[in-house]
Amino acid sequence: MQEVLQQIWVHVQDNLVKILIGLIFVGVGWWFGQRRARHDWKRQEFFDRLNFSLNWIEDGKLVYRTLAEKRCEEVFLNATAAEEIRAAAKATTPENSVLPLPKEHYWNYLNAVLNELSERFAEGNLRREMGLPTRTIPYVVCLTCECAGELRTRKIRVMIIREQVLETLNGTEAITPENSRGGTRLATLRQLANRYKTHPHEFLSVELSLPQ
């Protein structure tokens, strides 16, 4: 036993510098992580989060609810892609909340979102393929980061909305938000309604199925 302990001690001595450097890097990483967390909480900015938001019109009112929320790395599966998403989110403006990502990369990001939604609605898709009772509705998805109005927090959001509802928002029909903070969301969706025609690469169609 004494020989084993002596060998361990010799190994530690031989690698002491490497161990100390490793501990220093861990400590510095922890410190920067804590500092960033405090900064994000103070400013209520969470650019590492991806919020899936379903939007619809009910009795003339705009309604929106969260379907899911995940870390960007969990959806895009690549640190570089997630960092590009975060950088684009910080570059959005009150006039345009759509993420300004490179056009040639946009489909890849939206496809990652599609994969996440397909996984969450997998049962409906399987029942549909089997010919079992399901209801399937087509939706449009888009990546945004709202930064105006009454928002309490800033997050990257996957906007999910029916195409015909999006077209309604581009018309003259009177629509009101369901709460006092919904004005920003209504303005965002009106932006999307305009960009859906002029920047179609920023949108992707998806069919979501649920059991009946």
Side-chain angles (χ1 to χ4, degrees), residues 25-152:
F25 274 109
V26 170
V28 170
W30 177 86
W31 183 80
F32 274 107
Q34 291 296 309
R35 182 182 180 186
R36 178 177 177 179
R38 287 193 297 269
H39 176 270
D40 290 346
W41 178 254
K42 184 177 180 179
R43 295 176 62 89
Q44 289 295 287
E45 294 179 342
F46 306 100
F47 296 116
D48 61 333
R49 307 297 298 177
L50 189 66
N51 180 279
F52 290 76
S53 181
L54 179 64
N55 303 264
W56 72 96
I57 305 298
E58 186 175 298
D59 298 328
K61 293 184 181 296
L62 172 65
V63 184
Y64 51 94
R65 297 289 186 271
T66 295
L67 294 182
E69 185 165 304
K70 304 191 72 173
R71 293 178 64 250
C72 287
E73 285 82 357
E74 294 181 273
V75 176
F76 299 107
L77 306 178
N78 181 282
T80 300
E83 186 56 40
E84 189 173 48
I85 282 283
R86 285 191 285 267
K90 296 175 183 179
T92 57
T93 66
E95 294 74 29
N96 181 20
S97 61
V98 179
L99 266 57
L101 294 162
K103 184 175 181 179
E104 62 272 18
H105 295 166
Y106 230 109
W107 183 88
N108 294 320
Y109 289 110
L110 291 174
N111 189 59
V113 169
L114 174 61
N115 290 338
E116 179 66 26
L117 286 172
S118 295
E119 182 178 343
R120 290 187 172 273
F121 291 87
E123 181 184 355
N125 292 330
L126 188 58
R127 289 175 62 92
R128 180 183 175 189
E129 193 280 332
M130 292 178 173
L132 298 174
T134 57
R135 186 178 183 193
T136 301
I137 300 294
Y139 290 89
V140 174
V141 298
C142 180
L143 288 164
T144 70
C145 184
E146 298 159 295
C147 58
E150 313 87 346
L151 284 177
R152 292 183 177 180

Side-chain angles (χ1 to χ4, degrees), residues 2 10 17 27 72 79 95 105 169 173 198 202:
Q2 186 176 359
V10 170
V17 174
C72 287
E95 294 74 29
H105 295 166
L169 289 164
E173 181 179 340
T198 59
E202 297 174 345

